[in-house]
Amino acid sequence: MSSNSHAWSDADTAYCPYPLLTDARGLGLTTSVIPTALGPVTVRHGRRNSAARDGVATILLHGAAGSWSTWTPLILSADRLTPAPLTDLVIPDLPGWGDSALAAREETETIESLAAAVAEIARALGYQRWQLIGHSLGGVVALELAASQPRRTTFVGLVSATTFSVIESVQHPLTRFGVLPGFTALLAVMRVLTRFGSGGRRFVRGLHRLGVLRPLVTPLFSRVDEIDRSVVAALAAEARPRSFALAAHRAGRYDAAQRWASIQCEVRSVHGDRDVFVTVGDDQLMHEVIPAYEVTILADTGHFSHIEHPVDALFALRPWSTGRDHNETDETYTRQQHRPDGAARRKA
């Protein structure tokens, strides 16, 4: 990994510029299996900064139908385009995804217990404080950890976090279908596939082998024909109907407003203008619940900002990624606001 940034190029700022990588060692990361109350969790970690005075971990939490590899475009962006690479990384495969199995007792796996398991992992690796970046479901887990451990959490970054609209859609799938029809329909499909056990996963992988999965995930991306084939392959591998249905069930039982009102650190959110899982109403409610909340909406972006436009996602969360002053960061980004492909960043 390089500690030197270079000028932005068309390739760096193109749509979906980097593939998903699976070589943890090549990124300077170690793979460990760490015991938690929910069972063993596989974690990629490393790039420890021995010069850091406070030893703050940077914990990246993937979403449903994802694993640690979904963060590799963001890591590559930081390596290439910022003064320093990301360090002190802790990237778990949450239980039920990637290389981590569901908890033996599924009823014990809640949003609260997932957050507690992440804290266990960080402490097992020698960290007492952390900054959190979560995508989709991982954003909800990050917010819960910030609420339950306010003194240990220094910052929360959200990438297309599935918050109030998703919770409402899970609780009232029929009467509130119009809130997030794409999510509600996907959840219904996953619940049906769950009845077939492992056959549900095989069915999705079969669709991928036949070449029809890419068009089926069109709602998740702004330009599905241009996403790297590694992204489609990862979705096929991580389309786990039972894990997805359980994650939605947990979200539907979670008291988000009450829990998140106790968050004390800054929370920065970024999501796409074409995100089918996030609404303007979510942004408004988050502003009401969390005082130190800021949102950036990316043009020409769907539900995977950190894959579709990782450079923009990184800079939307730039105080986290570089440790630079907030005002200096915004000024620097404004000079580069219009990318070569014409998309732009705007704050809400």
Side-chain angles (χ1 to χ4, degrees), residues 49-120:
N49 182 7
S50 59
R53 290 175 297 176
D54 51 6
V56 177
T58 297
I59 304 178
L60 308 181
L61 301 173
H62 66 79
S67 71
W68 81 276
S69 67
T70 62
W71 292 110
T72 56
L74 197 76
I75 296 171
L76 291 173
S77 294
D79 283 355
R80 292 169 61 81
L81 302 172
T82 62
L86 301 182
T87 61
D88 294 280
L89 287 172
V90 176
I91 320 175
D93 281 343
L94 295 173
W97 309 100
D99 294 325
S100 299
L102 278 168
R105 294 174 55 210
E106 293 177 357
E107 68 276 11
T108 65
E109 194 172 307
T110 63
I111 299 298
E112 292 87 346
S113 66
L114 284 170
V118 172
E120 285 185 79

Side-chain angles (χ1 to χ4, degrees), residues 265-346:
C265 66
E266 178 186 8
V267 177
R268 281 195 160 204
S269 173
V270 58
H271 66 81
D273 61 343
R274 302 183 186 181
D275 194 332
V276 295
F277 292 171
V278 181
T279 69
V280 174
D282 288 321
D283 293 332
Q284 294 171 343
L285 287 172
M286 293 296 284
H287 274 297
E288 294 174 8
V289 172
I290 302 174
Y293 180 84
E294 180 182 296
V295 61
T296 299
I297 302 175
L298 300 183
D300 186 37
T301 308
H303 186 60
F304 289 84
S305 304
H306 55 319
I307 293 175
E308 296 174 83
H309 291 301
V311 174
D312 285 345
L314 181 73
F315 276 77
L317 305 172
R318 187 167 173 138
W320 150 72
S321 66
T322 66
R324 298 177 65 176
D325 177 75
H326 183 287
N327 293 328
E328 179 188 358
T329 300
D330 282 350
E331 180 182 352
T332 301
Y333 192 93
T334 300
R335 291 200 295 270
Q336 300 284 358
Q337 181 172 355
H338 296 284
R339 299 201 319 273
D341 60 9
R345 167 194 192 248
R346 64 183 178 90

